[in-house]
Amino acid sequence: MTGTLTIENLHIAARHGDHDHVLVDGISLTIRRGRILALVGSSGCGKSMTCSGAQGVLPPGVRVTGGQVLYDGRPIAPEKLRGHVVAAILQNPRSAFNPVLTMANHAKETLRAVGKLDSGWRSRTLEAFATVGLEDGETVLGLHPFEMSGGMLQRTMIALALLSDAPFLFADEPTTDLDLIVQARILDLLEELARRRNLGVLMITHDMGVVARLADEVAVMENGRIIERATTRDIFDNPQRIATRELVEAHMSLYPEVA
Ligand SMILES: Nc1ncnc2c1ncn2[C@@H]1O[C@H](COP(=O)(O)OP(=O)(O)OP(=O)(O)O)[C@@H](O)[C@H]1O
Ligand SMILES: [Mg+2]
């Protein structure tokens, strides 16, 4: 089981008055290093909750009610996981950055959180910026979020994720807020980094085009549960469940040339 991260039987619930409302109902997933696993499903099915719950960063009023995360087969606590084993990139980079801090501050904060802040922070940050195609890294270090485009912020978020050197990456809709050209570049970048650094990637998306392009395997969620999992090829060629078929058909009707 080396090189694996397993979410095992994860349950998440929200408190509504005097009863619990189940949001995630026993999800199990294994992410392998060097592989990209896509988690798909309709809006509200619990993809983001699964991702946040596994990292122990749920919104107020929502909590994990069961399950655990295993790293190479051994249970690991969320605080040991976050940043150290799993780096995360989120849908809306603008809200992920502190508006009053520069990118240098963010880089130092990221390194401090994983105990890797030392005198080499600047050169390592510039190297990470270069890796994600941020030109003129010295200038970027001095910028605040409002001085940067969405694509630049997303690249910076990926660079910060790389700084931690975590072997796994959780990406929750990482390109949704970007224009199509920037989306394509960011996806290419993520794929290249995943292969080059042998990252295990959990890619949450509702975009089957992203799935077709990047993913090795797919897990389909519905109402807080995994209803189907298969290789990307099988999901497209031979979907077993109605929800999966609908996702594939919706994609094919948008992009018939791919079919
Ligand atoms: N703060 C919250 N408190 C209680 N319930 C919430 C909260 N945030 C989201 N939910 C509920 O949790 C369920 C799962 O939400 P989640 O954000 O995981 O969906 P998702 O699959 O990521 O959807 P999307 O594709 O729209 O991002 C939804 O039914 C949503 O209404
Ligand atoms: Mg979501």
Side-chain angles (χ1 to χ4, degrees):
M1 289 297 275
T2 57
T4 62
L5 190 72
T6 300
I7 297 170
E8 193 175 74
N9 204 16
L10 183 67
H11 287 76
I12 297 173
R15 201 74 193 150
H16 274 288
D18 59 357
H19 69 282
D20 272 349
H21 177 57
V22 175
L23 304 180
V24 170
D25 193 10
I27 292 275
S28 297
L29 288 172
T30 294
I31 304 137
R32 295 180 178 79
R33 291 202 68 176
R35 312 268 293 166
I36 300 178
L37 170 66
L39 182 59
V40 303
S42 57
S43 190
C45 70
K47 303 181 295 295
S48 295
M49 288 293 171
T50 299
C51 177
S52 311
Q55 296 176 82
V57 285
L58 289 165
V62 182
R63 67 191 203 288
V64 170
T65 52
Q68 59 180 351
V69 178
L70 308 173
Y71 178 36
D72 285 346
R74 281 186 293 275
I76 180 167
E79 60 277 12
K80 296 246 168 66
L81 188 77
R82 269 197 314 276
H84 301 270
V85 176
V86 172
I89 53 178
L90 308 170
Q91 175 172 344
N92 180 349
R94 213 164 285 282
S95 66
F97 287 94
N98 183 329
V100 301
L101 295 184
T102 63
M103 295 303 124
N105 296 138
H106 282 99
K108 285 197 272 187
E109 199 42 59
T110 300
L111 286 165
R112 188 178 297 121
V114 292
K116 290 183 177 169
L117 181 61
D118 56 29
S119 57
W121 76 268
R122 195 179 186 90
S123 60
R124 272 190 286 144
T125 303
L126 291 173
E127 195 184 307
F129 284 175
T131 304
V132 301
L134 280 170
E135 281 144 34
D136 196 6
E138 285 288 352
T139 304
V140 175
L141 280 177
L143 298 178
H144 294 84
F146 70 88
E147 297 170 295
M148 299 165 71
S149 69
M152 275 175 95
L153 284 169
Q154 195 55 289
R155 276 175 200 272
T156 308
M157 186 142 63
I158 296 169
L160 296 182
L162 295 179
L163 272 184
S164 66
D165 250 335
F168 293 90
L169 183 66
F170 285 3
D172 189 355
E173 307 271 8
T175 58
T176 307
D177 290 347
L178 305 173
D179 72 52
L180 285 176
I181 293 172
V182 178
Q183 267 190 31
R185 290 205 189 113
I186 297 283
L187 290 173
D188 285 345
L189 172 65
L190 280 176
E191 179 169 34
E192 190 207 323
L193 290 172
R195 306 291 179 217
R196 184 142 48 94
R197 296 196 171 214
N198 196 32
L199 298 176
V201 180
L202 179 66
M203 168 76 70
I204 295 178
T205 181
H206 60 261
D207 183 340
M208 293 305 281
V210 171
V211 174
R213 181 176 182 143
L214 292 188
D216 299 298
E217 297 160 277
V218 186
V220 184
M221 259 184 103
E222 192 178 48
N223 289 332
R225 295 189 173 163
I226 305 275
I227 55 158
E228 181 164 1
R229 73 186 87 207
T231 62
T232 303
R233 173 160 284 276
D234 281 346
I235 286 288
F236 279 91
D237 290 353
N238 191 20
Q240 299 295 310
R241 301 292 298 265
I242 291 167
T244 312
R245 227 170 287 152
E246 282 173 356
L247 284 168
V248 171
E249 278 165 11
H251 174 69
M252 293 308 182
S253 65
L254 276 172
Y255 303 101
E257 72 280 11
V258 184

